[in-house]
Amino acid sequence: MECPRGEGEEVLVVRNKQVILKDYVCGFPKETDFEIKTSDVRLKVEEGSGGVIVKNIYLSVDPYMRLRMRKPQPNPSYFASYSPGSVVSGNGVARVVESGHPNYKKGDLVRGITGWEEYSVITTPDTLFKIQTTDIPPSFYLGILGATGLTAYVGLHEICSPKKGEYVFISAASGAVGHLVGQLAKLKGCYVVGSAGSDEKVDLLKSKCGFDEAFNYNKEQDLDAALKRYFPEGIDIYFENIGGKMLDAVLLNMRLHGRIAVCGLISQYNMDKPEGVKSLMLLVSKRLRMEGFMVADYYHMYPKFLDEAISYIREGKIVYVEDTVEGLESCPGALMGLFKGRNVGKQVVRVGQDEVIDK
Amino acid sequence: MECPRGEGEEVLVVRNKQVILKDYVCGFPKETDFEIKTSDVRLKVEEGSGGVIVKNIYLSVDPYMRLRMRKPQPNPSYFASYSPGSVVSGNGVARVVESGHPNYKKGDLVRGITGWEEYSVITTPDTLFKIQTTDIPPSFYLGILGATGLTAYVGLHEICSPKKGEYVFISAASGAVGHLVGQLAKLKGCYVVGSAGSDEKVDLLKSKCGFDEAFNYNKEQDLDAALKRYFPEGIDIYFENIGGKMLDAVLLNMRLHGRIAVCGLISQYNMDKPEGVKSLMLLVSKRLRMEGFMVADYYHMYPKFLDEAISYIREGKIVYVEDTVEGLESCPGALMGLFKGRNVGKQVVRVGQDEVIDK
């Protein structure tokens, strides 16, 4: 950290390590799709400029980021592609180090759109959210208390309207969103089954997250048969994170008037040509509703959700599972891991020490 | 018609020609899947038995009937398969010739579940509906004033909630349901485009049914490009009758928060293995809702719908297109025609003379 003299005042200039997306990604993301670059950043914003500079502490690694690494799509895809040569942007928890915005001051802990870098210069701080609690780990604001938690909440409650006693199935159930959906559905009095990719994850769902049942889809030859075993009465609500063959198998097992919240289709993100889903006629015969959603449409519900979720955490009603790796350089590998099923729960990268948190 | 003497009373016994489904149908239905049989039917029901005997006048021929000709499906399909060796059942308009039910008397004109036969013995007449109007052709009660019309009405209004100015696309638009959906959407102030399989049908949609635009999908190399031409702003509402490639192309062109009412997937009914639909990720990114429905869930809305639809007919606000062929023997061919695009509008078979209608 150097302290060169500006004209008449001291301005800190620091080295800023960044993860740069080199080019659009084809197939599974690879280490070589990224490079680590270091450049200088001047820790100074003009007062009243509205800008804020933050030092990142935790960064969120999410499946949708892979979609932003595609070539811009011919039809608007609503996942704006990253620009090759630029830092990968995403959610982070960070400490304000300089502020030109009246709502933020140096030392504030915030959550918002930052980037895979040590320091982020944020020119539109309206997307920032000040973290006020001191009894909850700040990283939770990337997961259960952030977009991830709100995604689980609105996907289940707003899209599927669960009723007590209904049968709920969740794919990628040990993932960031999935394990929360299951617990929210249990709180609502539903019967909850999840699928995951390893026996350890299955154990976690049953023993820690209170799922009624869970199964390892890698051990099932026939997904339709597996679902029939766990849902002899059929499925009322499917929380869809996977797509492809799993969706076809679920459609066969949905009950009349079932609801499918389409949160993501992670099995398809690395495919040039997605798999076709064949059983859509069952939408008609079983009168199913299948609805895609994005959490950004529900940010107005965040304050209500946050109160509720903080209570659940404080009362121990929800277990939140986090998978933290260390160091900015781990970001690409953490993203790759999402598509190999390496993460358990929410994938977070710890990128920096923080004087308050680490005290 | 013979008049043998029963014990103490005269009972009419008449010859009853029937279309029998010989066996489950594979692929496109063929003439040889059916046979015409003639047997005797005794025109007598015990008073108070609840049964009714009707003489059929018009029979409805609908795409869903093909689904009932499949082998019973391993998963409940909610389209109960017909029994090979039995008469094909479906909607009909008929004259009551004998009644053991207090609500119906000889001479009543009714609509309900009858069969591809000259006379039907109806043991559950609760499904019958007495036709009261005299200024509207009775066959309309199989189409615009029957399940067909109600399907168009609930699919558009209940599933898609159209708003003035929205962009509506209808596939199989010159079919029984499609041409009505388009006109209902026009009455709501929407911009309406339909696809159909011939230039004549396209002309009909534009010149008689008041569609803003229509196109012949057989002349389009690239359905995506065709939709982009007709919907430069994208599609808010898709009324889905077709499935397969058309659905994929439509998904590419839906607007944010679009709604898709899945009424049927006629392109898939004769396939052993349905085509896969690949663009489902767009459900998420565009926040689309796709909902299957069956008219049977909405029969409670029939009285309200009927009043409205009768007004539209009397005021000339809706044009109803009927495709009538003559003679019971035409039923199999009429069904086959649905899948070759031979029908224009609602396919009906006129099976008998009627003393009142033909007066």
Side-chain angles (χ1 to χ4, degrees), chain B residues 85-338:
Chain B
S86 302
V87 68
V88 175
S89 78
N91 275 301
V93 162
R95 185 74 67 186
V96 174
V97 292
E98 276 287 327
S99 175
H101 192 288
N103 293 358
Y104 304 97
K105 61 176 199 304
K106 189 171 169 171
D108 280 350
L109 193 64
V110 294
R111 190 212 66 215
I113 303 296
T114 69
W116 285 4
E117 57 192 345
E118 291 173 301
Y119 291 88
S120 295
V121 179
I122 296 166
T123 53
T124 54
D126 295 336
T127 60
L128 294 180
F129 170 88
K130 220 188 286 189
I131 294 174
Q132 311 276 12
T133 52
T134 52
D135 60 333
I136 293 174
S139 61
F140 278 32
Y141 284 84
L142 292 183
I144 183 170
L145 299 181
T148 301
L150 186 60
T151 298
Y153 185 86
V154 301
L156 182 69
H157 290 294
E158 298 295 305
I159 308 289
C160 298
S161 311
K163 288 187 282 292
K164 191 176 168 179
E166 285 194 316
Y167 298 101
V168 176
F169 177 56
I170 301 152
S171 56
S174 72
V177 174
H179 81 292
L180 297 177
V181 174
Q183 294 180 78
L184 290 170
K186 283 305 299 173
L187 287 170
K188 190 76 191 177
C190 299
Y191 182 85
V192 175
V193 179
S195 65
S198 75
D199 291 347
E200 292 69 31
K201 290 176 178 179
V202 166
D203 284 347
L204 176 85
L205 292 173
K206 293 201 284 189
S207 63
K208 284 214 174 153
C209 298
F211 282 48
D212 293 291
E213 283 291 349
F215 65 90
N216 178 350
Y217 65 84
N218 284 317
K219 284 188 165 173
E220 300 291 342
Q221 292 295 312
D222 179 342
L223 291 173
D224 177 26
L227 290 170
K228 286 197 166 37
R229 210 163 63 233
Y230 289 103
F231 293 101
E233 307 286 328
I235 300 167
D236 293 297
I237 290 175
Y238 174 43
F239 196 98
E240 165 67 301
N241 291 309
I242 291 288
K245 292 178 187 64
M246 183 63 94
L247 178 53
D248 260 325
V250 169
L251 284 167
L252 295 173
N253 288 282
M254 290 298 288
R255 299 178 92 185
L256 270 188
H257 302 291
R259 289 87 73 198
I260 301 177
V262 189
C263 177
L265 301 174
I266 196 172
S267 72
Q268 309 295 303
Y269 294 179
N270 300 304
M271 292 182 178
D272 262 5
K273 296 192 176 171
E275 288 175 284
V277 172
K278 296 178 194 298
S279 305
L280 292 178
M281 188 56 202
L282 295 168
L283 293 181
V284 181
S285 52
K286 298 182 182 179
R287 296 82 145 169
L288 306 178
R289 179 160 52 76
M290 195 165 154
E291 189 165 349
F293 71 101
M294 280 172 70
V295 68
D297 296 336
Y298 297 90
Y299 283 155
H300 60 279
M301 293 180 60
Y302 183 66
K304 176 178 174 294
F305 158 74
L306 189 64
D307 284 349
E308 206 172 308
I310 287 176
S311 303
Y312 289 146
I313 294 171
R314 287 185 176 148
E315 294 162 19
K317 286 190 178 163
I318 285 194
V319 172
Y320 173 55
V321 180
E322 230 177 13
D323 193 328
T324 309
V325 294
E326 294 287 332
L328 187 74
E329 293 82 353
S330 305
C331 285
L335 180 76
M336 290 152 55
L338 294 180

Side-chain angles (χ1 to χ4, degrees), chain A residues 335-352:
Chain A
L335 180 76
M336 289 152 57
L338 295 179
F339 300 100
K340 308 276 184 197
R342 276 206 295 266
N343 64 306
V344 181
K346 174 72 186 185
Q347 182 66 65
V348 168
V349 177
R350 174 78 191 251
V351 292

Side-chain angles (χ1 to χ4, degrees), chain A residues 82-212:
Chain A
Y82 294 127
S83 301
S86 303
V87 67
V88 175
S89 79
N91 275 300
V93 162
R95 184 76 65 187
V96 173
V97 293
E98 276 288 327
S99 176
H101 192 288
N103 293 356
Y104 304 96
K105 62 177 197 303
K106 191 170 168 171
D108 280 350
L109 192 64
V110 295
R111 190 212 67 215
I113 302 296
T114 69
W116 286 5
E117 56 191 346
E118 291 173 300
Y119 292 87
S120 295
V121 178
I122 297 167
T123 51
T124 54
D126 295 338
T127 61
L128 294 180
F129 171 87
K130 219 187 290 189
I131 295 175
Q132 311 276 12
T133 53
T134 53
D135 60 333
I136 293 173
S139 61
F140 279 31
Y141 284 83
L142 293 183
I144 183 169
L145 299 182
T148 302
L150 186 60
T151 298
Y153 185 86
V154 301
L156 182 69
H157 291 295
E158 298 297 304
I159 308 289
C160 298
S161 312
K163 288 186 284 291
K164 190 176 169 180
E166 285 195 314
Y167 298 100
V168 176
F169 177 57
I170 301 152
S171 56
S174 73
V177 174
H179 81 290
L180 298 177
V181 174
Q183 294 179 79
L184 291 170
K186 283 304 300 173
L187 287 170
K188 189 77 191 176
C190 298
Y191 181 85
V192 175
V193 179
S195 64
S198 76
D199 289 349
E200 292 69 32
K201 291 176 177 178
V202 166
D203 284 348
L204 176 87
L205 292 174
K206 292 201 284 188
S207 63
K208 284 214 173 152
C209 298
F211 280 49
D212 294 291

Side-chain angles (χ1 to χ4, degrees), chain A residues 21 23-34 63 65-67 69-70 217 265-272 332-342:
Chain A
L21 178 70
D23 201 353
Y24 300 119
V25 175
C26 293
F28 277 86
K30 307 169 293 297
E31 285 282 357
T32 53
D33 292 324
F34 305 91
M65 301 173 93
R66 168 64 183 86
L67 297 174
M69 294 173 185
R70 293 180 300 183
Y217 65 85
L265 301 174
I266 196 173
S267 71
Q268 309 296 302
Y269 292 179
N270 300 303
M271 292 181 177
D272 262 6
L335 180 76
M336 289 152 57
L338 295 179
F339 300 100
K340 308 276 184 197
R342 276 206 295 266

Side-chain angles (χ1 to χ4, degrees), chain A residues 67 75 77-78 228 252 257 262 265 274 277-278 281 283-292 297, chain B residues 75 77-78 228 252 257 262 265 274 277-278 281 283-292 294 297:
Chain A
L67 297 174
N75 291 283
S77 80
Y78 307 100
K228 287 198 164 38
L252 295 172
H257 302 291
V262 189
L265 301 174
V277 172
K278 296 176 193 300
M281 188 56 202
L283 294 180
V284 181
S285 53
K286 298 182 182 180
R287 295 82 145 169
L288 305 178
R289 178 161 52 78
M290 195 165 156
E291 188 163 350
D297 296 336
Chain B
N75 291 284
S77 80
Y78 307 100
K228 286 197 166 37
L252 295 173
H257 302 291
V262 189
L265 301 174
V277 172
K278 296 178 194 298
M281 188 56 202
L283 293 181
V284 181
S285 52
K286 298 182 182 179
R287 296 82 145 169
L288 306 178
R289 179 160 52 76
M290 195 165 154
E291 189 165 349
M294 280 172 70
D297 296 336

